[in-house]
Amino acid sequence: MKLLFSLFFFVFTIFSYANVELPLLFSDGMVLQRNKPIPVWGWASANEKIVIHFNNQIVKTKANKSGKWKANLKPEIAGGPYVLSIKGENAITINDVLVGEVWICSGQSNMQFTVNRAKNFKEELKDANYPMIRHFLVEKGMGSIPKSKLKSGNWEICDKTTVGGFSAVGYFFAKKIYSELKIPVGLIHSSWGGTHVETWTSRDAFEGSDEFKSMIAKMPNIDIESLLEEQMQLITDKVEKVQGSKVSFENESTYKNVGYSDANWPEIHAPEYWESQQFPNLDGTVWMRKTITISKEDANKEGYLELAKIDDQDSTYVNGTFVGTTRRYDEKRAYNVPANVLKAGKNVIAIRIFDYAGGGGIWGDASDLKLTTQNEVLSLVGNWKIKVVDIRSQVSPNSYPSLLYNAMISPLIPYAFQGVLWYQGEANVYRSEQYKKAFPLMIKDWRTKWNQGDFPFYFVQLSSYDEFGGNDSNTGSKWAELREAQSYTLQTVSNTGMAVTTDIGNAKDIHPINKQDVGKRLAAVALNKVYAKDVVFSGPTFKSMEVKENKIIATFDNLGSGLMTPDKYGYIKGFEIAGADKVFHFAKAYIKDNKVVIYNKNVSNPVTIRYGWADDAGDCNLYNKEHFPASPFRTDTWETLTKDVKYSLN
């Protein structure tokens, strides 16, 4: 009994005098938001007294019964470096603390895209020493309930050795802001590629939404481990049903051989992610095979195999002979096929693909998927056989709503900041119409949780990318519909701003490398709206139209110094026009009196126009004279491709 009492007292003593602890955001090199109250918080023993020293301020507080504590420092002007110290039973000293402008950078892969992958990186390195710019990278993580602590993260000072790992959009934004204000800029970067907006939104927000409350009511209250087990079982059951066999590594060593029969394997189309076909949410190890016919003239001769891009890592074989491997998901595959490998008649290309997370399989431009022999070019576009041999034991951030909000946003609250930079939407194009509700809901959710008012929320409109191939208004465009949802958010949600980027995208790459202009366009919004600089920050936005005979005349807001086009003949590209029959025709358009005149001789009684209504809207060339591009739009309300597609639990 005495021993048990002693053990209890020892354990009680340990937990009664726990060290004062701070969130990871509070660490050397941090940037605090100027001109606002500065929340400081953490954990300690129950009822422990805490004293905070910063600059000339001394603030005292006390931990509650659960050991949590919080205090607010008074607003500070820009400056530093300072020392922040917190003392309880122990003492913590944080050095090199700056006060300036803090922005949260979030979204999916185009925000995650780092400076070392951006255009002209070697040139950018020559001008990369900015000790007043700091970057905090939030480590990826998921949670089934809101968390209070991050997995890891630290502040990095911008110089030639660190800048390569910064968010490119965030960095080029910060660089422009610093050049204008000459005060510290802190970036808190919390992104995850390929993610839906719903995973960044809290459960509370869904429960209060008429659009989503029935969905969230079906969300089970389970921990991540249970979530993992359930998700694995769902995916496994789906895969085994489709392929008619167990998920297993058994016999996979034979899958590369030309003599192996894949007659019972299911098929998917390439180039196209398997997630958008028969295997949603699948990560793991997968074989893809395609049988081709080689002529006698090309037998035993060298070939050149191009496999577009493969997400994530491939090991590629031709007739059982290994020809190459590549690790990066966004790198084109191109392998030499040695002499004596290709045979007359039947040949097999076999690819072992390991997909870590997100999209999987062969993707990219169809023109890059081919085998070039001595005498012909064989397209490899079309159906490929597929066999799943292993499912990666990882829950996708898109498996359920709120997973990333819980782990990567909730722990940041209530850190003081100026605003949010957001680049996301590619993963939501299949539900573009519903994005008009989902995106504003997330913005409202973050503002509610932070309780710092309607802080600035600036986002990037989707760039140009030919995901579905040659879309226009007659075939429909999911990407155009998502851009429309983003424009809708700009018009209906207070204190928002949008950077249009259709002119700086890449039709063949969902990750365009020109992040410099993206950052600068976001910075222009902030400079005008937040920092009261007299700068143009938007391109032309549609205002109204009138029909005159067989022409439609469109007027615009945000003209800047006036409308212009870089086309030397003055031709405006990207417009379509339709009559009451809803059949669209590519239109001729030109600028007259700061308006745009649109017409097509085959449409005698036009009723509507569309601009940039395509996945790849890169041809659009209407600008203001400050060279900000016009945002895509339509003037009709006709039914969309994604009208009835809703978010649901898997």
Side-chain angles (χ1 to χ4, degrees):
M1 185 70 168
K2 184 177 180 181
L3 179 61
L4 285 173
F5 178 82
S6 299
L7 181 60
F8 172 81
F9 182 81
F10 176 73
V11 173
F12 177 80
T13 301
I14 290 175
F15 285 96
S16 296
Y17 296 96
N19 283 337
V20 172
E21 183 183 354
L22 291 169
L24 293 176
L25 282 168
F26 290 86
S27 54
D28 290 350
M30 69 186 300
V31 183
L32 296 172
Q33 176 61 41
R34 66 169 178 160
N35 301 338
K36 290 185 179 183
I38 302 171
V40 183
W41 74 97
W43 305 270
S45 301
N47 302 313
E48 186 172 343
K49 294 180 180 179
I50 310 294
V51 181
I52 303 166
H53 291 258
F54 182 71
N55 200 6
N56 294 316
Q57 297 192 52
I58 300 176
V59 176
K60 297 180 180 180
T61 188
K62 189 173 74 170
N64 64 18
K65 293 180 180 180
S66 301
K68 297 178 181 179
W69 59 268
K70 178 179 176 291
N72 280 329
L73 295 169
K74 293 179 181 179
E76 295 271 358
I77 63 172
Y82 301 116
V83 174
L84 173 65
S85 65
I86 297 91
K87 189 177 186 306
E89 294 295 328
N90 61 304
I92 298 174
T93 300
I94 301 171
N95 297 302
D96 191 23
V97 179
L98 302 180
V99 179
E101 290 297 289
V102 179
W103 288 81
I104 293 176
C105 306
S106 189
Q108 56 181 108
S109 55
N110 271 306
M111 183 62 80
Q112 188 177 311
F113 192 101
T114 50
V115 175
N116 57 14
R117 296 170 57 198
K119 183 179 70 173
N120 300 328
F121 173 56
K122 290 183 180 180
E123 289 298 312
E124 293 292 348
L125 277 180
K126 296 176 182 178
D127 181 32
N129 288 318
Y130 290 94
M132 292 295 105
I133 296 177
R134 312 283 175 90
H135 182 272
F136 184 98
L137 177 61
V138 174
E139 183 181 344
K140 292 183 177 68
M142 292 179 283
S144 48
I145 59 173
K147 296 184 177 183
S148 59
K149 299 179 182 180
L150 298 172
K151 290 175 65 176
S152 70
N154 63 280
W155 288 93
E156 288 193 312
I157 300 171
C158 181
D159 61 30
K160 292 181 180 180
T161 67
T162 61
V163 70
F166 286 20
S167 162
V169 170
Y171 169 68
F172 293 119
F173 170 89
K175 189 175 178 181
K176 180 62 176 177
I177 296 298
Y178 178 76
S179 72
E180 295 287 337
L181 304 183
K182 293 296 188 292
I183 63 173
V185 181
L187 302 171
I188 300 173
H189 178 204
S190 184
S191 296
W192 192 319
T195 51
H196 303 159
V197 72
E198 292 85 1
T199 193
W200 295 100
T201 308
S202 77
R203 180 172 187 139
D204 292 341
F206 290 125
E207 288 175 340
S209 165
D210 291 339
E211 179 76 13
F212 294 100
K213 62 185 179 183
S214 61
M215 174 278 295
I216 203 66
K218 302 173 185 176
M219 172 72 174
N221 287 309
I222 53 178
D223 58 28
I224 282 293
E225 287 71 25
S226 300
L227 197 69
L228 172 61
E229 184 177 344
E230 179 181 334
Q231 184 68 10
M232 282 285 291
Q233 192 59 53
L234 285 170
I235 297 172
T236 300
D237 290 347
K238 171 70 173 178
V239 167
E240 291 183 347
K241 180 179 180 180
V242 170
Q243 69 183 23
S245 62
K246 293 290 184 182
V247 173
S248 171
F249 284 116
E250 186 178 1
N251 299 322
E252 76 153 340
S253 61
T254 64
Y255 295 166
K256 65 180 181 292
N257 299 332
V258 68
Y260 177 82
S261 175
D262 56 23
N264 294 325
W265 289 16
E267 294 181 337
I268 62 171
H269 183 269
E272 184 178 350
Y273 286 129
W274 57 56
E275 277 85 353
S276 62
Q277 301 183 70
Q278 301 184 68
F279 299 100
N281 299 320
L282 172 64
D283 302 318
T285 307
V286 177
W287 283 84
M288 291 181 65
R289 286 170 50 104
K290 190 170 186 68
T291 300
I292 58 174
T293 301
I294 297 296
S295 67
K296 292 181 180 179
E297 291 77 15
D298 287 324
N300 301 314
K301 295 178 181 178
E302 295 179 353
Y304 187 63
L305 178 62
E306 296 173 77
L307 296 172
K309 300 174 184 178
I310 297 177
D311 194 337
D312 288 290
Q313 179 179 345
D314 70 290
S315 296
T316 299
Y317 303 84
V318 176
N319 292 338
T321 298
F322 177 75
V323 296
T325 183
T326 307
R327 298 182 67 89
R328 283 186 53 158
Y329 74 97
D330 57 353
E331 186 173 333
K332 290 183 181 180
R333 271 58 173 175
Y335 304 128
N336 292 313
V337 181
N340 299 317
V341 170
L342 297 174
K343 307 298 180 184
K346 178 182 175 182
N347 292 255
V348 171
I349 300 167
I351 312 170
R352 189 181 194 266
I353 301 172
F354 181 68
D355 177 34
Y356 298 96
I362 301 172
W363 69 287
D365 188 19
S367 64
D368 293 327
L369 185 55
K370 59 192 175 185
L371 173 65
T372 302
T373 63
Q374 296 295 313
N375 296 290
E376 61 180 328
V377 177
L378 300 173
S379 173
L380 302 177
V381 174
N383 290 337
W384 285 65
K385 296 286 188 175
I386 185 170
K387 173 82 167 183
V388 181
V389 298
D390 182 56
I391 296 174
R392 183 172 168 80
S393 57
Q394 175 179 319
V395 174
S396 163
N398 295 328
S399 299
Y400 292 96
S402 307
L403 296 184
L404 297 191
Y405 169 83
N406 291 335
M408 297 177 67
I409 299 300
S410 178
L412 306 179
I413 302 169
Y415 199 89
F417 64 96
Q418 182 62 258
V420 171
L421 306 178
W422 177 259
Y423 196 158
Q424 187 273 341
E426 297 92 339
N428 274 85
V429 295
Y430 292 93
R431 299 191 299 278
S432 292
E433 186 69 24
Q434 195 181 38
Y435 199 77
K436 292 178 181 178
K437 296 181 179 179
F439 186 31
L441 180 68
M442 191 207 77
I443 297 172
K444 179 182 177 182
D445 181 34
W446 288 20
R447 287 173 170 173
T448 300
K449 290 294 195 300
W450 250 284
N451 195 28
Q452 292 186 24
D454 287 351
F455 51 75
F457 199 105
Y458 303 152
F459 51 91
V460 181
Q461 191 178 50
L462 288 193
S463 195
S464 292
Y465 176 61
D466 192 21
E467 180 170 9
F468 300 105
N471 302 108
D472 57 24
S473 292
N474 291 320
T475 59
S477 168
K478 297 181 178 71
W479 279 61
E481 291 176 19
L482 197 288
R483 294 189 197 104
E484 180 180 66
Q486 292 172 314
S487 294
Y488 174 84
T489 301
L490 177 68
Q491 296 158 10
T492 59
V493 180
S494 65
N495 207 10
T496 54
M498 184 175 75
V500 178
T501 63
T502 45
D503 62 323
I504 52 175
N506 186 334
K508 296 182 179 180
D509 192 342
I510 201 170
H511 304 116
I513 63 174
N514 181 0
K515 294 298 190 281
Q516 287 87 339
D517 284 330
V518 180
K520 289 175 182 177
R521 290 175 186 179
L522 287 170
V525 182
L527 288 168
N528 182 285
K529 290 178 171 286
V530 177
Y531 305 118
K533 300 289 185 179
D534 186 19
V535 296
V536 174
F537 64 91
S538 172
T541 52
F542 175 76
K543 180 181 180 181
S544 63
M545 57 163 269
E546 63 174 322
V547 179
K548 284 192 174 181
E549 298 177 346
N550 68 330
K551 296 180 174 65
I552 288 180
I553 301 172
T555 60
F556 294 82
D557 288 324
N558 298 305
L559 296 177
S561 301
L563 296 179
M564 64 84 67
T565 178
D567 186 272
K568 65 180 181 180
Y569 300 109
Y571 298 148
I572 306 296
K573 301 176 183 177
F575 276 99
E576 296 171 274
I577 191 168
D581 60 0
K582 299 184 180 182
V583 176
F584 281 89
H585 301 260
F586 289 114
K588 294 183 178 180
Y590 59 89
I591 297 168
K592 182 180 181 181
D593 299 328
N594 256 348
K595 300 178 181 180
V596 178
V597 180
I598 305 108
Y599 67 99
N600 182 293
K601 64 180 182 180
N602 296 316
V603 183
S604 56
N605 295 298
V607 299
T608 189
I609 52 173
R610 291 183 178 183
Y611 177 71
W613 204 261
D615 295 0
D616 174 17
D619 285 342
C620 294
N621 63 349
L622 177 63
Y623 294 81
N624 56 26
K625 290 181 180 178
E626 286 73 19
H627 213 74
F628 284 86
S631 178
F633 68 92
R634 62 176 177 146
T635 62
D636 62 90
T637 57
W638 297 337
E639 191 169 294
T640 59
L641 293 175
T642 61
K643 178 178 180 293
D644 298 318
V645 184
K646 305 292 184 182
Y647 179 77
S648 62
L649 298 177
N650 293 329

